[in-house]
Amino acid sequence: MPCSPPRRLVLLLCLLSGPGLCAPSATAGDPAAVDPAAVDPVAKVVRAFLEQRAASLNGTVQVTVAPATATLPPCPAPEAFLPGHGQPLAGRVTVGVRCQDAGASVRYRRARVSVTGDYWVTARPLDAGTVIDADMLASRRGDLATLPDQAVLRRDQLLGRETRRPLAAGVVPQSHQVRRPPLIERRQPVTLVAGGEGFRITREGRALDNAGLGGQIRVRLPDRRVVTARVTGPGEARVSY
């Protein structure tokens, strides 16, 4: 039966072979090999912050925090925040971290947020001016981070909307490609309604814009004054004072 080499010989071979050959290897049970956030307090805070913020995306969230690009001093009581305005929560994200140290330093970490969930695509080509119904949409499932920034993910936000431009089959409608069907069109006669508790006043005018239900519209009165109102129905808008 073969025997193991003496421990002294093993150590000698390690010294002669150079660094790295006999270094301890990471194993599946080693947190550093599985999850960098387990040994990086800042990465741990960033990951928890993004997981909490992305919970509203209605999907299975996976957050990967990139390693720090430089060796930095410890960051006491790190507090994560999203810099800028309107930064998407899916895809590549930059997170700011405030440190409660003497200089109140701020550092930044990069991360990727993958959200696996359901979304909707056009089931067939749609012409411009088409009012979308349920038969025109098909469900898909995938990483929401790969979709366009203005993708409309909820079906109820697509049903009843009108396409602004032709859409090919299999595309994800975006917010700028759909709109509420206009209930009032430019140059159309409009009944303006104003009132409060116990009284109601109506006047006739002419629309200067197109607008759907709930949209704002400008209306020119017979005396040439222009007022702004909110569309409440076909040919009707309400003025708020």
Side-chain angles (χ1 to χ4, degrees), residues 165-226:
R165 47 165 291 181
L167 298 179
V171 302
V172 181
Q174 301 177 50
S175 58
H176 66 276
Q177 297 172 336
V178 296
R179 65 178 180 181
R180 293 180 182 271
L183 293 181
I184 295 177
E185 296 185 351
R186 189 169 180 267
R187 298 191 180 92
Q188 175 184 337
V190 176
T191 299
L192 287 175
V193 179
E197 186 175 355
F199 74 96
R200 172 186 168 94
I201 302 172
T202 62
R203 292 200 65 179
E204 299 300 318
R206 193 165 295 274
L208 299 178
D209 311 290
N210 299 331
L213 183 65
Q216 286 194 334
I217 191 171
R218 294 174 302 149
V219 179
R220 188 184 300 279
L221 300 175
D223 60 7
R224 310 300 294 175
R225 286 188 300 146
V226 176

Side-chain angles (χ1 to χ4, degrees), residues 74 76 99-105:
C99 303
Q100 308 304 316
D101 52 16
S105 61

Side-chain angles (χ1 to χ4, degrees), residues 29-211:
D30 181 0
V34 178
D35 183 6
V39 294
D40 184 346
V42 172
K44 185 176 182 179
V45 168
V46 169
R47 187 180 66 180
F49 172 77
L50 290 175
E51 287 176 344
Q52 181 182 22
R53 295 293 295 268
S56 62
L57 297 178
N58 297 324
T60 303
V61 177
Q62 181 178 2
V63 177
T64 304
V65 182
T69 56
T71 301
L72 298 173
C75 178
E79 179 184 349
F81 66 94
L82 282 178
H85 299 283
Q87 184 178 188
L89 282 176
R92 298 185 184 278
V93 182
T94 298
V95 178
V97 179
R98 295 186 182 92
C99 303
Q100 308 304 316
D101 52 16
S105 61
V106 176
R107 59 189 65 174
Y108 297 90
R109 294 293 291 270
R110 292 179 299 171
R112 178 174 177 80
V113 181
S114 298
V115 184
T116 302
D118 297 321
Y119 59 95
W120 299 88
V121 300
T122 51
R124 58 180 175 82
L126 302 179
D127 295 329
T130 300
V131 178
I132 300 174
D133 62 31
D135 293 335
M136 299 176 186
L137 299 173
S139 177
R140 296 288 185 270
R141 187 169 182 82
D143 186 355
L144 305 184
T146 63
L147 302 181
D149 291 341
Q150 299 186 49
V152 182
L153 302 180
R154 291 170 46 186
R155 189 174 74 155
D156 63 338
Q157 293 178 339
L158 291 172
L159 295 178
R161 298 299 197 272
E162 179 183 87
T163 56
R164 292 178 176 268
R165 47 165 291 181
L167 298 179
V171 302
V172 181
Q174 301 177 50
S175 58
H176 66 276
Q177 297 172 336
V178 296
R179 65 178 180 181
R180 293 180 182 271
L183 293 181
I184 295 177
E185 296 185 351
R186 189 169 180 267
R187 298 191 180 92
Q188 175 184 337
V190 176
T191 299
L192 287 175
V193 179
E197 186 175 355
F199 74 96
R200 172 186 168 94
I201 302 172
T202 62
R203 292 200 65 179
E204 299 300 318
R206 193 165 295 274
L208 299 178
D209 311 290
N210 299 331

